[in-house]
Amino acid sequence: NALMHLPDFISRNFAGALNMDDRRASEVFSAIDRGIKKRFFVEWIKKHNQKEGTVFYDVSSISTYAQDIEIAEYGYNRDHENLPQVNIGLLVDQKSRLPLYFCLYNGSLNDATQLPYVLQDLKEMGLSIGLIFTMDRGFGDSKRIHFLHSLGFKLLVGISLSRTKSLYELVDIAINNNSHISIDNMLPDFENTFGLKQEYTYNGVKGVLMFFFDKNRAALDSTKVCHAYRNLNDKINELEEKYRDKPCKLPAKEIFKFKKFFSVTEDSSSSYGWKISHDDEKFRLWYNRCGWFCLFTTDISLTLNEALLNYRDKECIECTFDTGKNTMGARRLRTHNDYTAEGKMFVQFISLTLFNCMYSALASLKKTDPKHFGKFTMKQLVQSFANLQFIYGKDKKIRDANHISYPY
């Protein structure tokens, strides 16, 4: 628990200048209502908002043992824990690496369902529509893309090829023509990666589809395809063994999964009512599709290389979630109702923002002053702040009694 040592910290660092224990902390959390948060976000976005550039949005979940948090529900748990959870949406600016906004919502809702409310909220708070809103393919469905575009935002989003047959057909054309492998299509900042693009209208939204072929990724994907094929082949043998002495007709939905790599037809002579046979053409189709992925953007000025650099850079938001959960102890939501949960997450958002600022400042010092800061770590920096002491003066103002000691 990030606050488990709060009384000791207050006693050591503030020496009577501040009265804060667990109960008082809960009262503070409860007092941070949505109005306070919204006013903060409006000013925060106004201060750090870029007119142009890229912002990243993603969602994670935080589990809890609490019984009285209404928004804590069972849902898709990213940490693979069988516990109720709340979902947290986070917006991070690419240039500054600073979190700009967060929201909590019901743990059972999927990411795409909540997105329109988040977008509307951000527009009302003044987020520039000149920014490129970058998200992974979990948000790449036609409804979300259309809504984002209707608000005036630019977007760069991953598209699932497996969910859109027509896009895979475009990939198949490129594969058959071998048109993607050329010097002109080679991306300068990515090894063994080639790209193609074409204008495309996605649910009424005009933009550009960008197809990428990653030779290194193809090697990994092809291994998975071979493994999936062998798995299904083993299941066919299991079916024959299982129903050899007890023939029956299996429902079509149980046979559907075999159609990816095999030819499937009804067969009354089969012990389970179906004939499943090898199909080299289907296997070759999926094997050749390995290594391909797709992005969609409404910013037609983006080059293939720029788009992929932006999209790959969204890992910074995953690092921000990791810092909050693991480095700062926010893996569990240790509060008992919705009011304290919202308030505590707001305080943790502020803490996470400060941590990112410190990290960026230290990274800059390592470059500009390697002699003094080259080996200085974040742990040492945080410890330096932890050793600060404050006193309550006669003029009723709080002052620091010591200063941060630098490594020289």
Side-chain angles (χ1 to χ4, degrees):
N1 187 348
L3 292 176
M4 65 184 298
H5 300 300
L6 179 63
D8 293 337
F9 174 80
I10 295 297
S11 175
R12 182 180 70 250
N13 294 74
F14 286 85
L18 185 66
N19 179 25
M20 180 71 70
D21 54 18
D22 293 341
R23 181 175 179 178
R24 176 61 181 146
S26 293
E27 292 173 356
V28 171
F29 295 152
S30 296
I32 303 172
D33 59 25
R34 293 186 178 182
I36 290 174
K37 288 196 303 178
K38 186 167 185 176
R39 288 195 295 274
F40 170 84
F41 287 133
V42 168
E43 293 301 317
W44 184 245
I45 289 173
K46 182 179 179 181
K47 182 177 178 62
H48 295 281
N49 190 16
Q50 309 288 331
K51 290 185 178 180
E52 295 180 348
T54 297
V55 289
F56 305 110
Y57 178 77
D58 205 352
V59 174
S60 189
S61 54
I62 300 177
S63 303
T64 180
Y65 290 104
Q67 302 295 317
D68 297 323
I69 300 178
E70 292 184 7
I71 62 172
E73 300 169 340
Y74 286 95
Y76 171 66
N77 193 293
R78 293 155 183 82
D79 298 319
H80 309 292
E81 297 175 318
N82 188 26
L83 289 170
Q85 65 182 29
V86 297
N87 287 329
I88 175 168
L90 185 66
L91 188 77
V92 174
D93 178 64
Q94 181 189 37
K95 185 176 180 180
S96 66
R97 290 313 204 243
L98 288 176
L100 297 180
Y101 164 90
F102 87 95
C103 63
L104 286 183
Y105 61 94
N106 299 56
S108 63
L109 294 179
N110 63 44
D111 304 346
T113 300
Q114 182 67 14
L115 182 62
Y117 303 99
V118 172
L119 295 172
Q120 189 67 51
D121 215 17
L122 286 169
K123 186 171 183 181
E124 290 174 1
M125 291 178 183
L127 187 72
S128 172
I129 59 174
L131 293 165
I132 302 172
F133 220 93
T134 304
M135 302 172 291
D136 64 27
R137 61 184 184 179
F139 300 97
D141 65 279
S142 58
K143 289 183 179 179
R144 254 48 63 173
I145 288 174
H146 190 274
F147 187 80
L148 194 90
H149 181 70
S150 70
L151 292 179
F153 289 110
K154 297 178 183 179
L155 65 99
L156 174 65
V157 63
I159 300 294
S160 174
L161 289 171
S162 60
R163 295 177 187 172
T164 314
K165 185 179 178 181
S166 60
L167 298 187
Y168 251 143
E169 290 172 353
L170 294 175
V171 170
D172 294 337
I173 292 172
I175 292 171
N176 293 333
N177 295 336
N178 208 28
S179 57
H180 57 293
I181 306 295
S182 75
I183 295 173
D184 291 338
N185 294 333
M186 189 184 300
L187 303 189
D189 289 310
F190 299 90
E191 185 179 356
N192 281 340
T193 303
F194 303 84
L196 297 168
K197 66 178 182 178
Q198 71 172 61
E199 293 182 0
Y200 190 81
T201 301
Y202 206 132
N203 192 30
V205 178
K206 292 183 179 180
V208 177
L209 274 178
M210 298 182 170
F211 295 97
F212 299 93
F213 174 70
D214 184 338
K215 188 72 174 177
N216 299 329
R217 176 174 172 171
L220 298 173
D221 289 351
S222 60
T223 300
K224 293 178 182 178
V225 166
C226 291
H227 181 71
Y229 168 80
R230 291 192 180 102
N231 254 351
L232 288 175
N233 195 51
D234 289 342
K235 290 185 181 298
I236 293 171
N237 295 331
E238 290 173 8
L239 288 176
E240 292 173 351
E241 184 69 26
K242 182 178 180 179
Y243 296 104
R244 180 175 297 166
D245 299 324
K246 297 180 179 179
C248 72
K249 173 68 181 295
L250 293 178
K253 63 180 181 180
E254 291 190 27
I255 302 297
F256 181 80
K257 58 188 175 185
F258 295 101
K259 290 186 176 183
K260 182 172 183 176
F261 297 122
F262 299 87
S263 293
V264 178
T265 55
E266 293 188 52
D267 185 0
S268 58
S269 65
S270 168
S271 59
Y272 50 88
W274 299 88
K275 180 182 179 181
I276 305 175
S277 53
H278 299 283
D279 191 323
D280 278 342
E281 188 175 337
K282 286 187 176 182
F283 176 79
R284 195 179 300 112
L285 179 70
W286 284 103
Y287 192 89
N288 287 336
R289 287 173 173 176
C290 292
W292 285 87
F293 58 98
C294 179
L295 304 179
F296 177 76
T297 181
T298 55
D299 187 351
I300 59 175
S301 67
L302 279 180
T303 66
L304 289 160
N305 194 70
E306 289 170 341
L308 193 53
L309 282 171
N310 271 4
Y311 191 73
R312 290 282 172 87
D313 202 26
K314 70 180 179 62
E315 69 180 26
C316 76
I317 197 169
E318 296 164 8
C319 293
T320 303
F321 274 128
D322 182 70
T323 299
K325 284 186 172 183
N326 298 313
T327 305
M328 303 184 71
R331 180 174 287 276
R332 286 282 184 276
L333 190 58
R334 300 178 189 274
T335 55
H336 299 289
N337 58 61
D338 291 58
Y339 301 108
T340 53
E342 292 265 2
K344 184 175 181 180
M345 287 307 304
F346 179 75
V347 171
Q348 288 179 331
F349 173 85
I350 300 296
S351 302
L352 184 59
T353 301
L354 290 172
F355 188 94
N356 280 13
C357 286
M358 291 164 61
Y359 185 89
S360 296
L362 181 58
S364 178
L365 286 170
K366 284 177 178 288
K367 292 179 181 179
T368 58
D369 193 359
K371 179 180 178 180
H372 295 120
F373 290 92
K375 296 182 179 180
F376 202 55
T377 65
M378 272 299 294
K379 185 175 181 180
Q380 289 174 300
L381 182 58
V382 172
Q383 186 60 46
S384 297
F385 280 97
N387 290 334
L388 281 174
Q389 288 188 327
F390 299 88
I391 57 174
Y392 194 69
K394 292 182 179 180
D395 56 0
K396 297 184 179 182
K397 292 183 178 181
I398 296 176
R399 293 185 175 85
D400 59 322
N402 58 359
H403 299 282
I404 296 175
S405 58
Y406 293 99
Y408 54 84

